[in-house]
Amino acid sequence: MRMWGGRFEGISDERMAEFTRSIDFDDVLAIDDIAGSIAHVHGLGRAGLLTPDEVETIVAGLEGLRHDVAAGKLTWDPALEDIHMNLEVALRERIGSLAGKVHTGRSRNDQVATDMRLWLRRTIDGLDRAVVEMERALVGLAVRDGEAILPGMTHIQPAQPVLFAHHLLAYVEMFERDRGRLSDCRRRANVSPLGSGALAGAGYPLDREATAAELGFDGVTANSLDGVSDRDFVVEAMAAIALSMVHLSRLAEEITWWSNPRFGFVRVSDSFSTGSSMMPNKKNPDPAELVRGKSARVIGELTGMLTLLKGLPLAYQKDMQDDKPPLFDAAATLEASLLVMAGMVATLAVNRERMRAAAGEGFTTATAVADALVRRGVAFRAAHHIVGALVAEAERAGVALDALDDATIAATLAGSDDAVAAAVGADAAVAAALREAAALEGAMAACDVTGGTAPRRVAAALAAARTRLGV
Ligand code: ARG
């Protein structure tokens, strides 16, 4: 018997039934659906629509179902279309026809909207824990290899030296924003649509606020049409999830480069690498590559969800049933990606010598040398030009900037058409000062602003992150 079958003659076409059912994927909502039903039944009792005895019997039946779901003892009947009808029939098998009163003043439309919000709430809590684990791995590595120096890049070209810890903390910033976005989404999602009915509002004097409070919602949706058809919270969650995947993907991309022997900055642990079926030499950072790949799928899911909604008139449309596979997949993908990347990052072996050598290649301290001239009164534009000439000299001589000799430095300054620079060049101590500025440590120490890579600034940022994350 179809639960909505009163006006129907004949049976459903098998293709139609198979095409329209959602039980293949909405069974994950079972515990949320039961929680919603228990609160709704309490509300029906308060409204005098169920006697105290009826409430007690139904709630006991629902508690029994909850127990069976947790124990994996319930099986779902595809013929019953979705999780809501499966649970209603399971309740009837347990307590008899009294189960037929549960759906008083409720539609599957406000029911599924409630379930989705409850599901999202607990899922976001789980994702938050996974993001924190990722952050802890980054912070742990920053502590362990706090002295390592990385060639900071722009345009994928050597730019300026930065502490490796500074680079890792940049990702911690991204993940903290991800946490903020998820918690914003959770806050907006945490209102109850129950009582919206099919679309116009329930036809009984239900105390929606009391039912919402019982479910831990902060309030109720203000408009019944919106209550059943709003899926903004799904889009918001998926946007936050997709962006977090993009952050992971950027990190994954860096790890693939860093672990390439040409760079040799890090070694990915064997436990997070795979081999080749043909090339015995191979060791591949597969998890990082897959995170990069899966981020594409999650971005597609977000796009799909936005597209699903854009043409929908009010109120509920069956299209909305298809919000579930992409949302469930996106959340599961992010959680798995965070956990595998946390493991990979925590077990990276850093080669500080290789990193340091690369950090000095490409005259990455040139900006610091120019800044040292500016501190002696030279205009920045003139200093930029002079140091450019010094870089050209060093390149010709095949040496690093901090290995240029006194004579070359003095001659370059003397040859400048900037009067101040020429005067500065006459000071015998200047060459040594410029070489000092050209050393990696000197260059980093000079970036001594809030958020800069000066070691003392990074140490403070790291200490703050450790306090926040309890590591
Ligand atoms: N399985 C449906 C969904 O996920 C439940 C709501 C069905 N409502 C309806 N009027 N057919 O959207």
Side-chain angles (χ1 to χ4, degrees), residues 116-195:
M116 288 292 276
R117 287 168 189 265
L118 291 173
W119 177 89
L120 186 60
R121 222 168 59 177
R122 64 185 169 89
T123 299
I124 284 178
D125 294 343
L127 286 177
D128 187 68
R129 285 189 290 273
V131 181
V132 167
E133 187 157 337
M134 181 69 225
E135 288 187 46
R136 286 188 175 140
L138 289 162
V139 166
L141 184 58
V143 171
R144 175 153 57 82
D145 284 287
E147 263 108 74
I149 306 171
L150 195 68
M153 312 261 189
T154 64
H155 311 265
I156 325 186
Q157 304 298 321
Q160 289 182 281
V162 293
L163 277 180
F164 184 49
H166 193 51
H167 194 98
L168 297 171
L169 285 172
Y171 283 99
V172 172
E173 292 295 316
M174 296 177 223
F175 290 122
E176 271 299 295
R177 289 196 296 276
D178 292 339
R179 293 181 70 196
R181 272 181 282 270
L182 286 168
S183 95
D184 278 354
C185 166
R186 188 194 194 285
R187 186 170 47 76
R188 257 186 302 282
N190 197 30
V191 287
S192 171
L194 266 187

Side-chain angles (χ1 to χ4, degrees), residues 49-80:
L49 293 158
L50 293 174
T51 67
D53 281 354
E54 287 175 327
V55 170
E56 199 180 308
T57 307
I58 298 172
V59 169
L62 288 166
E63 297 283 12
L65 289 185
R66 173 141 67 191
H67 184 269
D68 285 358
V69 168
K73 282 204 278 190
L74 276 190
T75 51
W76 312 118
D77 178 359
L80 291 172

